Amino acid sequence: MRLFCRPITAVLLTFSLTFLFVVGDDRPSRAAEKEVAESAAGAQNADADDPLAAGAEEPTDGDAPNADDNAPKVPDVPFDATKGVTFGPVGCFVAVLGTNVWDLKTEKPISQLAGTYDHHGLRCISDDGRFFAAGSKSPNQTDTAVTVWNTETGQRVLEVPGDKDAFVDFLGISRGKYLLLGGRHNDQIDVWEIETGKIIKHLKVPAVRISPNKLALSPDGKQFAYIAHDKLIVTSTVTNRQVAVMAPPSKEPGSAAAPAKKPPRPKRAVNTDASSIYAWTRGMAFSPDGTELAAYSTHPLPRILVWNIKGKLVFDEPLQMPLTIGHDETFEWRPDGSGWLIKNRLYDRKAKRVVLSVRVPFAAQIPPHLIDAGYLIGAFGNDRERLRAIPIPHERLNESIQQMVDQAPSYLKPGDAVSLRLELAGLRGDETETRKVLTEALTRRLARENIRVAENQATVLYFKLSEKAGESLPVYHRQSPFDIWGTDTGRRVTEAKGSAVVELWTDGENEPLWRGYVEAMSTRSIQEAMNDNSVRKNMLDRLVRLLSGLDMPYFIPKAKEIVALPAVVE
Protein backbone atom coordinates (compact mmCIF):
# COMPACT_ATOMS: atom_id res chain seq x y z
CA MET A 1 0.00 0.00 0.00
CA ARG A 2 1.40 3.37 -0.96
CA LEU A 3 0.34 6.78 0.20
CA PHE A 4 0.80 8.93 -2.87
CA CYS A 5 1.97 12.50 -2.81
CA ARG A 6 3.55 14.45 -5.60
CA PRO A 7 6.60 12.73 -7.12
CA ILE A 8 9.26 15.36 -6.45
CA THR A 9 8.41 17.47 -3.43
CA ALA A 10 6.24 15.47 -1.09
CA VAL A 11 7.25 12.73 1.28
CA LEU A 12 6.35 9.26 0.08
CA LEU A 13 4.87 7.29 2.95
CA THR A 14 5.20 3.56 2.38
CA PHE A 15 3.44 0.73 4.20
CA SER A 16 3.77 -2.92 3.30
CA LEU A 17 0.53 -4.74 2.76
CA THR A 18 2.23 -7.98 3.70
CA PHE A 19 3.49 -6.70 7.03
CA LEU A 20 1.61 -8.36 9.88
CA PHE A 21 0.57 -6.32 12.89
CA VAL A 22 0.41 -9.43 15.08
CA VAL A 23 -0.44 -8.88 18.71
CA GLY A 24 -0.86 -11.58 21.32
CA ASP A 25 -4.32 -12.21 22.73
CA ASP A 26 -3.71 -10.63 26.12
CA ARG A 27 -7.02 -8.78 26.25
CA PRO A 28 -10.00 -9.75 28.40
CA SER A 29 -12.60 -12.03 26.87
CA ARG A 30 -15.35 -10.39 24.85
CA ALA A 31 -17.84 -11.51 27.47
CA ALA A 32 -15.89 -9.53 30.06
CA GLU A 33 -15.66 -6.47 27.83
CA LYS A 34 -19.44 -6.10 27.64
CA GLU A 35 -22.02 -6.75 30.30
CA VAL A 36 -23.77 -10.05 29.73
CA ALA A 37 -27.24 -9.48 28.28
CA GLU A 38 -29.99 -9.61 30.89
CA SER A 39 -33.56 -10.71 30.39
CA ALA A 40 -36.07 -7.89 29.95
CA ALA A 41 -39.22 -9.88 29.28
CA GLY A 42 -41.13 -8.27 32.14
CA ALA A 43 -41.25 -4.79 33.60
CA GLN A 44 -40.28 -6.07 37.03
CA ASN A 45 -36.92 -7.32 35.62
CA ALA A 46 -36.23 -4.36 33.35
CA ASP A 47 -32.87 -2.64 33.52
CA ALA A 48 -33.51 0.91 34.73
CA ASP A 49 -31.16 2.23 32.05
CA ASP A 50 -32.46 -0.04 29.29
CA PRO A 51 -34.69 2.04 26.96
CA LEU A 52 -35.75 -0.93 24.86
CA ALA A 53 -36.78 -3.18 27.73
CA ALA A 54 -40.48 -3.86 28.14
CA GLY A 55 -41.91 -1.36 30.63
CA ALA A 56 -38.70 0.66 30.85
CA GLU A 57 -38.93 4.17 32.25
CA GLU A 58 -37.29 7.20 30.72
CA PRO A 59 -33.58 6.76 31.57
CA THR A 60 -31.23 9.44 32.72
CA ASP A 61 -28.27 10.41 30.61
CA GLY A 62 -25.09 8.47 31.29
CA ASP A 63 -21.53 8.77 30.16
CA ALA A 64 -20.66 7.19 26.84
CA PRO A 65 -17.97 4.50 26.98
CA ASN A 66 -14.52 5.50 25.84
CA ALA A 67 -13.16 4.06 22.61
CA ASP A 68 -10.30 1.62 22.94
CA ASP A 69 -7.68 3.64 21.14
CA ASN A 70 -4.92 1.20 22.08
CA ALA A 71 -6.61 -1.92 20.75
CA PRO A 72 -4.50 -4.30 18.66
CA LYS A 73 -4.96 -3.83 14.96
CA VAL A 74 -6.14 -6.19 12.25
CA PRO A 75 -3.43 -7.82 10.15
CA ASP A 76 -4.30 -10.32 7.42
CA VAL A 77 -7.27 -12.71 7.09
CA PRO A 78 -8.32 -14.81 4.04
CA PHE A 79 -11.91 -14.69 2.80
CA ASP A 80 -14.16 -15.61 -0.11
CA ALA A 81 -15.92 -12.46 -1.37
CA THR A 82 -18.60 -14.52 -3.10
CA LYS A 83 -19.80 -15.78 0.30
CA GLY A 84 -20.13 -12.38 1.92
CA VAL A 85 -18.22 -10.42 4.56
CA THR A 86 -19.90 -8.69 7.50
CA PHE A 87 -18.15 -6.24 9.83
CA GLY A 88 -19.45 -5.04 13.15
CA PRO A 89 -19.75 -1.40 14.21
CA VAL A 90 -16.57 0.66 14.44
CA GLY A 91 -14.53 -0.72 17.32
CA CYS A 92 -15.92 -4.28 17.08
CA PHE A 93 -13.26 -6.80 16.10
CA VAL A 94 -15.60 -9.65 15.19
CA ALA A 95 -16.30 -10.33 11.52
CA VAL A 96 -18.32 -12.99 9.75
CA LEU A 97 -16.72 -14.28 6.57
CA GLY A 98 -19.22 -16.54 4.87
CA THR A 99 -20.16 -18.90 7.68
CA ASN A 100 -16.88 -18.48 9.55
CA VAL A 101 -16.68 -16.13 12.54
CA TRP A 102 -13.28 -14.51 13.02
CA ASP A 103 -11.62 -12.58 15.81
CA LEU A 104 -9.78 -9.93 13.81
CA LYS A 105 -7.45 -9.03 16.68
CA THR A 106 -5.95 -12.48 16.89
CA GLU A 107 -6.49 -13.61 13.28
CA LYS A 108 -8.14 -16.71 14.65
CA PRO A 109 -11.51 -18.27 13.83
CA ILE A 110 -14.02 -18.26 16.68
CA SER A 111 -16.74 -20.56 15.36
CA GLN A 112 -18.61 -21.73 12.30
CA LEU A 113 -22.26 -20.81 11.88
CA ALA A 114 -24.79 -23.60 11.84
CA GLY A 115 -26.82 -23.25 8.64
CA THR A 116 -26.67 -20.68 5.88
CA TYR A 117 -27.98 -17.24 4.94
CA ASP A 118 -28.20 -15.12 1.78
CA HIS A 119 -25.05 -12.99 1.67
CA HIS A 120 -26.88 -10.52 -0.59
CA GLY A 121 -29.41 -9.90 2.19
CA LEU A 122 -29.29 -7.52 5.13
CA ARG A 123 -26.79 -8.49 7.83
CA CYS A 124 -25.42 -7.00 11.03
CA ILE A 125 -23.26 -7.75 14.07
CA SER A 126 -23.95 -6.45 17.57
CA ASP A 127 -21.60 -3.82 18.95
CA ASP A 128 -20.10 -6.34 21.39
CA GLY A 129 -19.69 -8.96 18.65
CA ARG A 130 -21.81 -11.57 20.47
CA PHE A 131 -24.56 -11.86 17.88
CA PHE A 132 -24.83 -12.00 14.10
CA ALA A 133 -28.17 -11.53 12.30
CA ALA A 134 -28.93 -12.15 8.63
CA GLY A 135 -31.90 -12.36 6.30
CA SER A 136 -32.75 -15.45 4.28
CA LYS A 137 -33.27 -13.45 1.06
CA SER A 138 -31.87 -10.41 -0.71
CA PRO A 139 -33.72 -7.11 -0.17
CA ASN A 140 -37.05 -6.20 -1.78
CA GLN A 141 -38.57 -9.63 -1.22
CA THR A 142 -41.41 -10.69 1.01
CA ASP A 143 -41.38 -13.81 3.16
CA THR A 144 -37.82 -13.10 4.34
CA ALA A 145 -36.87 -14.96 7.49
CA VAL A 146 -34.20 -13.62 9.86
CA THR A 147 -31.80 -15.73 11.90
CA VAL A 148 -29.63 -14.65 14.82
CA TRP A 149 -26.50 -16.66 15.71
CA ASN A 150 -24.32 -16.61 18.80
CA THR A 151 -20.88 -15.89 17.35
CA GLU A 152 -19.04 -17.63 20.19
CA THR A 153 -20.78 -20.98 19.62
CA GLY A 154 -22.02 -20.66 16.03
CA GLN A 155 -25.44 -21.84 17.13
CA ARG A 156 -28.76 -20.27 16.17
CA VAL A 157 -30.38 -18.48 19.08
CA LEU A 158 -33.38 -16.84 17.39
CA GLU A 159 -35.44 -17.65 14.28
CA VAL A 160 -37.89 -15.03 13.01
CA PRO A 161 -40.08 -16.65 10.35
CA GLY A 162 -40.80 -14.89 7.08
CA ASP A 163 -44.17 -13.32 6.31
CA LYS A 164 -45.63 -13.49 2.81
CA ASP A 165 -47.02 -9.97 3.27
CA ALA A 166 -43.97 -8.39 4.89
CA PHE A 167 -40.56 -7.03 3.86
CA VAL A 168 -37.35 -6.71 5.85
CA ASP A 169 -35.94 -3.29 4.96
CA PHE A 170 -34.33 -2.53 8.32
CA LEU A 171 -32.36 -4.95 10.47
CA GLY A 172 -30.31 -4.03 13.52
CA ILE A 173 -29.12 -5.19 16.92
CA SER A 174 -29.23 -2.78 19.86
CA ARG A 175 -27.49 -2.96 23.25
CA GLY A 176 -26.19 -6.42 22.42
CA LYS A 177 -29.51 -8.11 23.15
CA TYR A 178 -32.34 -6.80 20.98
CA LEU A 179 -33.09 -7.55 17.32
CA LEU A 180 -34.90 -4.73 15.54
CA LEU A 181 -36.87 -5.47 12.36
CA GLY A 182 -38.98 -3.24 10.14
CA GLY A 183 -40.26 -3.05 6.59
CA ARG A 184 -42.24 -1.02 4.12
CA HIS A 185 -45.41 -3.01 4.84
CA ASN A 186 -46.12 -0.93 7.97
CA ASP A 187 -44.91 1.94 10.13
CA GLN A 188 -43.39 0.15 13.09
CA ILE A 189 -40.20 -1.59 14.19
CA ASP A 190 -40.57 -4.85 16.05
CA VAL A 191 -38.18 -5.27 18.99
CA TRP A 192 -37.28 -8.92 19.65
CA GLU A 193 -35.46 -9.97 22.77
CA ILE A 194 -32.84 -12.35 21.45
CA GLU A 195 -32.49 -14.58 24.50
CA THR A 196 -36.22 -15.11 25.07
CA GLY A 197 -37.24 -15.07 21.40
CA LYS A 198 -40.20 -12.79 22.09
CA ILE A 199 -41.39 -9.47 20.72
CA ILE A 200 -41.32 -7.11 23.68
CA LYS A 201 -42.02 -3.75 22.05
CA HIS A 202 -43.16 -1.98 18.87
CA LEU A 203 -41.49 1.30 17.96
CA LYS A 204 -43.80 3.57 15.97
CA VAL A 205 -42.14 5.28 13.01
CA PRO A 206 -43.41 8.80 12.17
CA ALA A 207 -44.11 7.87 8.54
CA VAL A 208 -46.50 5.68 6.61
CA ARG A 209 -43.89 2.94 6.22
CA ILE A 210 -40.28 1.93 6.82
CA SER A 211 -37.90 2.88 4.01
CA PRO A 212 -34.33 1.60 3.53
CA ASN A 213 -31.47 3.96 4.54
CA LYS A 214 -33.87 6.31 6.30
CA LEU A 215 -33.45 5.20 9.92
CA ALA A 216 -30.69 5.44 12.52
CA LEU A 217 -30.57 4.15 16.11
CA SER A 218 -28.54 5.93 18.78
CA PRO A 219 -25.62 3.96 20.29
CA ASP A 220 -27.32 3.75 23.70
CA GLY A 221 -30.64 2.67 22.21
CA LYS A 222 -32.49 5.61 23.76
CA GLN A 223 -33.54 7.25 20.50
CA PHE A 224 -33.97 6.63 16.83
CA ALA A 225 -34.07 9.08 13.93
CA TYR A 226 -36.26 8.68 10.89
CA ILE A 227 -36.96 10.61 7.69
CA ALA A 228 -40.66 11.26 7.17
CA HIS A 229 -41.02 12.95 3.78
CA ASP A 230 -39.81 16.53 4.43
CA LYS A 231 -38.90 16.08 8.11
CA LEU A 232 -36.15 14.33 10.03
CA ILE A 233 -37.61 13.31 13.38
CA VAL A 234 -35.96 11.91 16.51
CA THR A 235 -38.15 9.68 18.68
CA SER A 236 -37.66 8.20 22.14
CA THR A 237 -37.55 4.40 22.15
CA VAL A 238 -39.00 4.38 25.68
CA THR A 239 -42.04 6.62 25.26
CA ASN A 240 -42.37 6.39 21.45
CA ARG A 241 -42.78 10.15 21.56
CA GLN A 242 -41.14 12.72 19.33
CA VAL A 243 -38.25 14.46 21.09
CA ALA A 244 -36.89 16.64 18.26
CA VAL A 245 -37.49 17.70 14.68
CA MET A 246 -34.24 18.50 12.93
CA ALA A 247 -33.96 21.90 11.26
CA PRO A 248 -34.47 21.58 7.50
CA PRO A 249 -31.37 21.75 5.30
CA SER A 250 -30.80 24.86 3.23
CA LYS A 251 -31.15 24.74 -0.53
CA GLU A 252 -27.40 25.35 -0.86
CA PRO A 253 -24.77 23.77 1.42
CA GLY A 254 -22.20 26.03 3.03
CA SER A 255 -18.94 26.88 1.34
CA ALA A 256 -16.24 24.20 1.51
CA ALA A 257 -13.53 26.71 2.34
CA ALA A 258 -13.64 30.48 2.66
CA PRO A 259 -13.67 32.30 0.37
CA ALA A 260 -14.76 29.30 -1.69
CA LYS A 261 -16.54 29.25 -4.97
CA LYS A 262 -19.45 26.85 -5.04
CA PRO A 263 -19.35 24.02 -7.56
CA PRO A 264 -21.38 24.65 -10.72
CA ARG A 265 -25.04 23.76 -10.41
CA PRO A 266 -26.49 21.06 -12.64
CA LYS A 267 -27.82 22.48 -15.87
CA ARG A 268 -31.25 20.92 -15.50
CA ALA A 269 -33.71 22.27 -12.96
CA VAL A 270 -33.76 20.28 -9.73
CA ASN A 271 -35.86 20.32 -6.61
CA THR A 272 -33.86 21.47 -3.60
CA ASP A 273 -36.56 21.33 -0.96
CA ALA A 274 -36.07 19.24 2.19
CA SER A 275 -38.06 16.28 0.90
CA SER A 276 -35.84 15.95 -2.19
CA ILE A 277 -32.63 16.23 -0.15
CA TYR A 278 -33.89 13.68 2.37
CA ALA A 279 -35.12 11.34 -0.39
CA TRP A 280 -31.54 11.01 -1.65
CA THR A 281 -30.05 10.34 1.76
CA ARG A 282 -27.51 7.53 1.29
CA GLY A 283 -26.44 7.20 4.92
CA MET A 284 -27.46 8.39 8.36
CA ALA A 285 -25.85 7.76 11.76
CA PHE A 286 -25.62 9.09 15.29
CA SER A 287 -22.20 10.14 16.54
CA PRO A 288 -20.36 7.67 18.80
CA ASP A 289 -21.32 9.70 21.88
CA GLY A 290 -24.92 10.09 20.71
CA THR A 291 -24.87 13.91 20.83
CA GLU A 292 -25.11 14.50 17.08
CA LEU A 293 -26.82 13.04 14.03
CA ALA A 294 -25.19 13.10 10.58
CA ALA A 295 -26.64 12.42 7.15
CA TYR A 296 -25.04 12.04 3.74
CA SER A 297 -27.20 13.08 0.76
CA THR A 298 -26.38 13.14 -2.94
CA HIS A 299 -29.04 15.66 -3.97
CA PRO A 300 -28.55 17.85 -5.88
CA LEU A 301 -24.84 17.43 -5.17
CA PRO A 302 -23.09 15.39 -2.44
CA ARG A 303 -23.27 17.05 0.96
CA ILE A 304 -22.91 16.26 4.69
CA LEU A 305 -25.39 17.54 7.26
CA VAL A 306 -25.01 17.37 11.04
CA TRP A 307 -27.53 18.28 13.74
CA ASN A 308 -27.13 18.42 17.49
CA ILE A 309 -29.53 16.34 19.54
CA LYS A 310 -31.85 19.33 19.99
CA GLY A 311 -32.34 19.65 16.24
CA LYS A 312 -30.06 22.57 15.38
CA LEU A 313 -28.22 22.22 12.06
CA VAL A 314 -24.57 22.70 13.03
CA PHE A 315 -22.79 21.52 9.89
CA ASP A 316 -23.89 21.62 6.25
CA GLU A 317 -21.08 21.37 3.75
CA PRO A 318 -20.59 20.19 0.15
CA LEU A 319 -18.71 16.95 -0.28
CA GLN A 320 -15.95 16.95 -2.88
CA MET A 321 -16.78 13.55 -4.28
CA PRO A 322 -18.07 12.30 -7.64
CA LEU A 323 -21.84 12.04 -7.83
CA THR A 324 -22.33 8.29 -8.02
CA ILE A 325 -25.04 6.01 -6.71
CA GLY A 326 -24.37 2.53 -5.39
CA HIS A 327 -25.66 -0.05 -2.97
CA ASP A 328 -24.52 -0.43 0.63
CA GLU A 329 -22.56 2.81 0.63
CA THR A 330 -20.27 3.16 3.64
CA PHE A 331 -21.07 6.03 6.00
CA GLU A 332 -19.25 5.71 9.34
CA TRP A 333 -18.29 8.20 12.02
CA ARG A 334 -14.68 8.35 13.06
CA PRO A 335 -14.58 7.31 16.75
CA ASP A 336 -13.51 10.76 17.93
CA GLY A 337 -16.25 12.51 15.93
CA SER A 338 -13.71 14.35 13.77
CA GLY A 339 -15.12 13.17 10.45
CA TRP A 340 -16.52 10.26 8.48
CA LEU A 341 -15.57 7.42 6.19
CA ILE A 342 -17.83 7.86 3.15
CA LYS A 343 -17.53 5.11 0.55
CA ASN A 344 -13.75 4.95 0.15
CA ARG A 345 -12.88 8.46 1.28
CA LEU A 346 -12.04 9.87 4.69
CA TYR A 347 -13.62 13.28 5.25
CA ASP A 348 -12.20 15.63 7.86
CA ARG A 349 -14.67 17.88 9.66
CA LYS A 350 -12.17 20.61 10.47
CA ALA A 351 -10.77 20.83 6.95
CA LYS A 352 -14.25 20.33 5.43
CA ARG A 353 -12.61 18.17 2.80
CA VAL A 354 -11.67 14.65 1.84
CA VAL A 355 -8.16 14.14 3.22
CA LEU A 356 -7.61 10.46 2.39
CA SER A 357 -8.80 8.42 -0.58
CA VAL A 358 -8.52 4.63 -0.69
CA ARG A 359 -8.34 3.10 -4.15
CA VAL A 360 -10.39 -0.06 -4.21
CA PRO A 361 -9.77 -2.75 -6.86
CA PHE A 362 -12.23 -2.76 -9.73
CA ALA A 363 -15.34 -4.84 -8.95
CA ALA A 364 -14.12 -5.45 -5.39
CA GLN A 365 -17.10 -6.48 -3.28
CA ILE A 366 -15.73 -5.31 0.07
CA PRO A 367 -15.79 -1.53 0.69
CA PRO A 368 -13.28 -0.12 3.19
CA HIS A 369 -14.41 -0.17 6.82
CA LEU A 370 -13.17 1.71 9.90
CA ILE A 371 -12.09 -1.08 12.22
CA ASP A 372 -11.16 1.50 14.88
CA ALA A 373 -9.73 5.00 15.16
CA GLY A 374 -6.40 4.15 13.57
CA TYR A 375 -7.03 1.53 10.91
CA LEU A 376 -9.07 0.78 7.81
CA ILE A 377 -9.80 -2.78 6.79
CA GLY A 378 -10.72 -4.04 3.34
CA ALA A 379 -9.47 -5.76 0.21
CA PHE A 380 -6.57 -3.71 -1.14
CA GLY A 381 -4.03 -4.14 -3.88
CA ASN A 382 -4.42 -6.96 -6.39
CA ASP A 383 -5.37 -9.62 -3.85
CA ARG A 384 -9.13 -9.40 -3.47
CA GLU A 385 -9.42 -12.40 -1.20
CA ARG A 386 -7.50 -11.22 1.81
CA LEU A 387 -8.70 -8.72 4.38
CA ARG A 388 -5.90 -6.38 5.28
CA ALA A 389 -5.59 -3.48 7.64
CA ILE A 390 -3.88 -0.24 6.72
CA PRO A 391 -2.95 2.49 9.21
CA ILE A 392 -4.48 5.95 8.91
CA PRO A 393 -1.60 8.47 9.13
CA HIS A 394 -3.51 10.89 11.38
CA GLU A 395 -0.51 12.95 12.44
CA ARG A 396 0.69 13.49 8.88
CA LEU A 397 -2.80 14.38 7.67
CA ASN A 398 -3.41 16.78 10.56
CA GLU A 399 -0.07 18.41 9.89
CA SER A 400 -1.01 18.98 6.24
CA ILE A 401 -4.44 20.31 7.19
CA GLN A 402 -2.87 22.82 9.58
CA GLN A 403 -0.36 23.89 6.93
CA MET A 404 -3.24 24.50 4.53
CA VAL A 405 -5.21 26.47 7.14
CA ASP A 406 -2.12 28.54 7.97
CA GLN A 407 -1.58 29.37 4.29
CA ALA A 408 1.90 27.85 4.35
CA PRO A 409 3.94 28.19 1.13
CA SER A 410 2.47 25.87 -1.48
CA TYR A 411 2.37 25.12 -5.17
CA LEU A 412 -1.41 24.69 -5.04
CA LYS A 413 -4.16 25.37 -2.52
CA PRO A 414 -7.91 25.99 -2.56
CA GLY A 415 -8.68 29.37 -4.10
CA ASP A 416 -5.71 29.28 -6.49
CA ALA A 417 -5.89 29.33 -10.27
CA VAL A 418 -4.20 27.07 -12.82
CA SER A 419 -3.95 27.15 -16.59
CA LEU A 420 -5.17 24.34 -18.83
CA ARG A 421 -3.23 22.81 -21.70
CA LEU A 422 -4.71 20.08 -23.87
CA GLU A 423 -2.51 17.89 -26.06
CA LEU A 424 -4.62 15.68 -28.34
CA ALA A 425 -3.15 12.90 -30.46
CA GLY A 426 -4.83 10.52 -32.91
CA LEU A 427 -8.20 12.27 -32.76
CA ARG A 428 -10.96 10.40 -34.54
CA GLY A 429 -13.51 13.21 -34.33
CA ASP A 430 -14.00 16.96 -34.35
CA GLU A 431 -11.13 18.68 -32.50
CA THR A 432 -13.06 21.82 -31.55
CA GLU A 433 -15.87 19.85 -29.98
CA THR A 434 -13.43 17.51 -28.22
CA ARG A 435 -11.53 20.44 -26.71
CA LYS A 436 -14.78 22.00 -25.53
CA VAL A 437 -15.98 18.80 -23.83
CA LEU A 438 -12.66 18.15 -22.09
CA THR A 439 -12.15 21.79 -21.05
CA GLU A 440 -15.58 21.91 -19.45
CA ALA A 441 -15.00 18.61 -17.67
CA LEU A 442 -11.59 19.65 -16.30
CA THR A 443 -12.93 23.05 -15.25
CA ARG A 444 -15.77 21.38 -13.31
CA ARG A 445 -13.36 18.94 -11.70
CA LEU A 446 -11.05 21.74 -10.54
CA ALA A 447 -13.97 23.88 -9.36
CA ARG A 448 -15.03 21.04 -7.07
CA GLU A 449 -11.77 21.65 -5.20
CA ASN A 450 -12.22 25.45 -5.36
CA ILE A 451 -9.47 25.83 -7.96
CA ARG A 452 -10.08 28.23 -10.85
CA VAL A 453 -8.96 28.05 -14.46
CA ALA A 454 -7.20 31.11 -15.86
CA GLU A 455 -4.56 31.93 -18.45
CA ASN A 456 -0.89 32.64 -17.78
CA GLN A 457 -0.65 30.89 -14.40
CA ALA A 458 2.57 29.51 -12.91
CA THR A 459 0.94 26.13 -12.39
CA VAL A 460 -0.47 24.34 -15.43
CA LEU A 461 -2.69 21.28 -15.69
CA TYR A 462 -1.76 19.28 -18.78
CA PHE A 463 -4.23 16.81 -20.25
CA LYS A 464 -2.58 14.56 -22.84
CA LEU A 465 -5.14 12.44 -24.69
CA SER A 466 -4.33 9.67 -27.13
CA GLU A 467 -7.14 8.12 -29.16
CA LYS A 468 -7.13 4.94 -31.19
CA ALA A 469 -9.57 2.62 -32.87
CA GLY A 470 -10.63 -0.66 -31.35
CA GLU A 471 -12.26 -3.65 -32.92
CA SER A 472 -14.73 -3.49 -35.79
CA LEU A 473 -17.96 -5.04 -34.49
CA PRO A 474 -21.34 -5.95 -36.00
CA VAL A 475 -24.35 -3.90 -34.89
CA TYR A 476 -27.39 -5.71 -33.47
CA HIS A 477 -30.75 -4.14 -32.82
CA ARG A 478 -32.50 -5.17 -29.61
CA GLN A 479 -36.21 -4.66 -29.13
CA SER A 480 -35.94 -4.61 -25.34
CA PRO A 481 -33.53 -5.50 -22.49
CA PHE A 482 -35.04 -8.99 -22.62
CA ASP A 483 -34.07 -9.41 -26.27
CA ILE A 484 -30.76 -11.10 -25.53
CA TRP A 485 -29.50 -11.75 -29.05
CA GLY A 486 -31.15 -8.99 -31.10
CA THR A 487 -31.27 -8.72 -34.88
CA ASP A 488 -28.16 -8.29 -37.02
CA THR A 489 -28.47 -4.96 -38.90
CA GLY A 490 -25.67 -5.82 -41.33
CA ARG A 491 -23.74 -2.70 -40.24
CA ARG A 492 -20.44 -2.47 -38.39
CA VAL A 493 -18.93 0.17 -36.11
CA THR A 494 -15.46 0.66 -34.70
CA GLU A 495 -14.83 0.75 -30.98
CA ALA A 496 -13.27 3.92 -29.59
CA LYS A 497 -10.47 3.94 -27.04
CA GLY A 498 -8.95 6.88 -25.21
CA SER A 499 -6.14 7.07 -22.69
CA ALA A 500 -4.93 10.23 -21.00
CA VAL A 501 -2.16 11.39 -18.74
CA VAL A 502 -3.08 14.28 -16.43
CA GLU A 503 -0.18 16.25 -14.97
CA LEU A 504 0.33 19.34 -12.84
CA TRP A 505 3.48 21.31 -13.68
CA THR A 506 4.82 24.50 -12.15
CA ASP A 507 7.54 26.96 -13.05
CA GLY A 508 11.00 26.06 -11.81
CA GLU A 509 10.45 22.31 -11.45
CA ASN A 510 11.81 19.65 -13.77
CA GLU A 511 9.20 17.03 -12.93
CA PRO A 512 5.42 17.17 -12.52
CA LEU A 513 3.99 17.96 -9.11
CA TRP A 514 1.40 15.27 -9.64
CA ARG A 515 0.42 12.77 -12.28
CA GLY A 516 -2.78 10.78 -12.85
CA TYR A 517 -4.09 8.43 -15.51
CA VAL A 518 -7.50 7.77 -17.01
CA GLU A 519 -8.45 5.28 -19.70
CA ALA A 520 -11.85 4.68 -21.28
CA MET A 521 -13.36 2.53 -23.99
CA SER A 522 -16.78 2.79 -25.58
CA THR A 523 -19.40 0.40 -24.26
CA ARG A 524 -20.78 -2.28 -26.52
CA SER A 525 -24.38 -1.41 -25.82
CA ILE A 526 -25.79 2.10 -26.19
CA GLN A 527 -29.35 3.31 -26.59
CA GLU A 528 -28.88 6.01 -29.19
CA ALA A 529 -28.33 5.33 -32.89
CA MET A 530 -25.10 3.37 -33.13
CA ASN A 531 -22.47 4.66 -35.53
CA ASP A 532 -18.81 5.63 -35.34
CA ASN A 533 -19.65 9.15 -34.06
CA SER A 534 -22.03 7.99 -31.33
CA VAL A 535 -19.58 5.29 -30.24
CA ARG A 536 -16.78 7.84 -29.97
CA LYS A 537 -19.07 10.21 -28.03
CA ASN A 538 -19.82 7.33 -25.68
CA MET A 539 -16.09 6.90 -25.05
CA LEU A 540 -15.64 10.62 -24.31
CA ASP A 541 -18.60 10.58 -21.92
CA ARG A 542 -17.00 7.72 -20.01
CA LEU A 543 -13.69 9.57 -19.95
CA VAL A 544 -15.44 12.60 -18.44
CA ARG A 545 -17.03 10.41 -15.74
CA LEU A 546 -13.62 8.98 -14.89
CA LEU A 547 -12.21 12.50 -14.57
CA SER A 548 -14.93 13.22 -12.02
CA GLY A 549 -13.61 10.41 -9.83
CA LEU A 550 -9.91 11.18 -10.31
CA ASP A 551 -8.06 11.80 -7.03
CA MET A 552 -6.70 15.20 -7.96
CA PRO A 553 -4.77 17.14 -5.28
CA TYR A 554 -6.11 20.45 -3.96
CA PHE A 555 -3.16 21.20 -1.65
CA ILE A 556 0.47 20.68 -2.63
CA PRO A 557 2.84 22.20 -0.06
CA LYS A 558 6.36 23.32 -0.93
CA ALA A 559 7.82 21.74 2.19
CA LYS A 560 9.08 18.29 1.21
CA GLU A 561 8.17 16.69 4.53
CA ILE A 562 4.48 17.67 4.27
CA VAL A 563 2.00 15.32 2.62
CA ALA A 564 -0.16 16.58 -0.25
CA LEU A 565 -3.95 16.42 0.11
CA PRO A 566 -5.83 14.29 -0.41
CA ALA A 567 -3.39 11.53 0.36
CA VAL A 568 -4.11 8.44 -1.75
CA VAL A 569 -3.81 4.85 -0.58
CA GLU A 570 -3.42 2.25 -3.30
Side-chain angles (χ1 to χ4, degrees), residues 262-283:
K262 295 175 183 177
R265 299 284 294 163
K267 293 182 180 179
R268 60 184 179 86
V270 294
N271 292 325
T272 54
D273 56 9
S275 60
S276 299
I277 295 170
Y278 287 149
W280 287 91
T281 297
R282 310 304 301 173

Side-chain angles (χ1 to χ4, degrees), residues 7 418-421 423 442 459-464 500-506 511-517 550 552-553 556:
V418 301
S419 297
L420 282 183
R421 297 289 184 272
E423 298 179 5
L442 290 166
T459 301
V460 179
L461 180 69
Y462 283 89
F463 186 85
K464 305 174 183 179
V501 177
V502 192
E503 295 178 335
L504 274 168
W505 287 79
T506 196
E511 295 183 29
L513 302 174
W514 167 83
R515 178 184 289 120
Y517 304 90
L550 190 64
M552 190 177 294
I556 305 179

